[in-house]
Amino acid sequence: MRRRHLAALIVAAAPLLLGACGTDVDKAPASTAAPTQNVKNVADITAGSTYNDTDVMFLQMLIDNQQQGQQMAQIAAKRAARPEIVQLAKAVQVTQADEIKLMTGWLAEWDKPATLDERVSLHADHGGMPSTGDDEIASLKTVPKAQFETAFLNLFLAHQHNAVEFAQLELDKGGNELTKSFAERVKQSRTDQVQQMLRLLAG
């Protein structure tokens, strides 16, 4: 019963957590903050005691990915000219902040660290999974204004594709039921977001 209750909680919460990142920017509501404000118990959603090394690695790598994503989104919210890109950036900030709380809570539940000491080493140790470089993110602050949106979309598109690859690894090799369910929603929402950014680049 307890596992079914936990599964119901994550199913109920995940559309709100992931909705802003998975919403088409052309159809997104004016306020992107409202959906996640309704999720009051994100930190109370527990993952359970059954997990494997892939579950831990997935959450650690996705937290790192999202912390970088927050940095890029903050820059885009200030520098982008098109309202669609500003809206996308703000939605990312809100949604991923809640996702980070969720994942950090699960790792704490398992007595595992949420932060990575060596990003490059960890990615190499687990099949050379991709990572966005800090210098690439910093370059978004100095790229000429006229080139910013193209630079941001190209970099963030690749960054979110990385998250899709992390999620697929979890789906293939993870052991925790709720973590795999979360990974499926991450995969779907980031794939949708990649498509959105491709349309924005084409426009």
Side-chain angles (χ1 to χ4, degrees):
M1 289 294 293
R2 183 173 183 272
R3 181 169 295 278
R4 285 199 294 270
H5 176 65
L6 294 175
L9 278 174
I10 188 117
V11 168
L16 297 176
L17 288 172
L18 300 176
C21 279
T23 300
D24 190 314
V25 292
D26 296 328
K27 300 177 182 178
S31 173
T32 57
T36 53
Q37 288 175 348
N38 293 328
V39 181
K40 298 178 180 179
N41 298 311
V42 170
D44 294 333
I45 302 174
T46 58
S49 59
T50 302
Y51 64 92
N52 63 19
D53 289 344
T54 299
D55 298 318
V56 174
M57 180 193 70
F58 164 65
L59 295 178
Q60 289 174 332
M61 293 177 74
L62 191 60
I63 288 171
D64 183 63
N65 174 276
Q66 293 193 359
Q67 287 172 339
Q68 288 189 315
Q70 293 278 48
Q71 294 175 42
M72 286 185 271
Q74 288 171 8
I75 297 169
K78 295 177 180 178
R79 299 202 68 197
R82 280 186 283 176
E84 298 97 325
I85 297 177
V86 173
Q87 185 180 51
L88 176 67
K90 290 181 177 180
V92 166
Q93 289 178 268
V94 172
T95 304
Q96 293 190 357
D98 275 332
E99 290 179 349
I100 289 171
K101 289 180 184 177
L102 183 75
M103 293 186 287
T104 301
W106 288 356
L107 288 168
E109 184 182 350
W110 298 337
D111 197 26
K112 300 294 182 181
T115 57
L116 305 175
D117 292 331
E118 295 291 339
R119 180 183 303 134
V120 175
S121 173
L122 181 120
H123 287 244
D125 290 346
H126 295 280
M129 298 296 284
S131 174
T132 305
D134 291 333
D135 290 344
E136 293 176 291
I137 297 173
S139 71
L140 293 176
K141 297 179 180 179
T142 57
V143 66
K145 187 83 170 178
Q147 301 171 22
F148 173 78
E149 291 187 353
T150 298
F152 166 73
L153 289 171
N154 277 312
L155 184 60
F156 200 59
L157 189 155
H159 186 78
Q160 296 301 70
H161 181 70
N162 292 351
V164 173
E165 294 191 349
F166 299 164
Q168 187 59 57
L169 178 65
E170 168 64 19
L171 291 169
D172 291 342
K173 298 183 179 180
N176 181 270
E177 185 177 322
L178 292 189
T179 306
K180 292 180 76 168
S181 176
F182 177 63
E184 180 60 42
R185 292 180 181 278
V186 168
K187 179 181 176 181
Q188 291 174 3
S189 70
R190 273 45 170 191
T191 298
D192 288 346
Q193 199 174 79
V194 165
Q195 295 303 313
Q196 293 171 25
M197 288 187 281
L198 286 171
R199 292 195 295 271
L200 286 167
L201 279 170

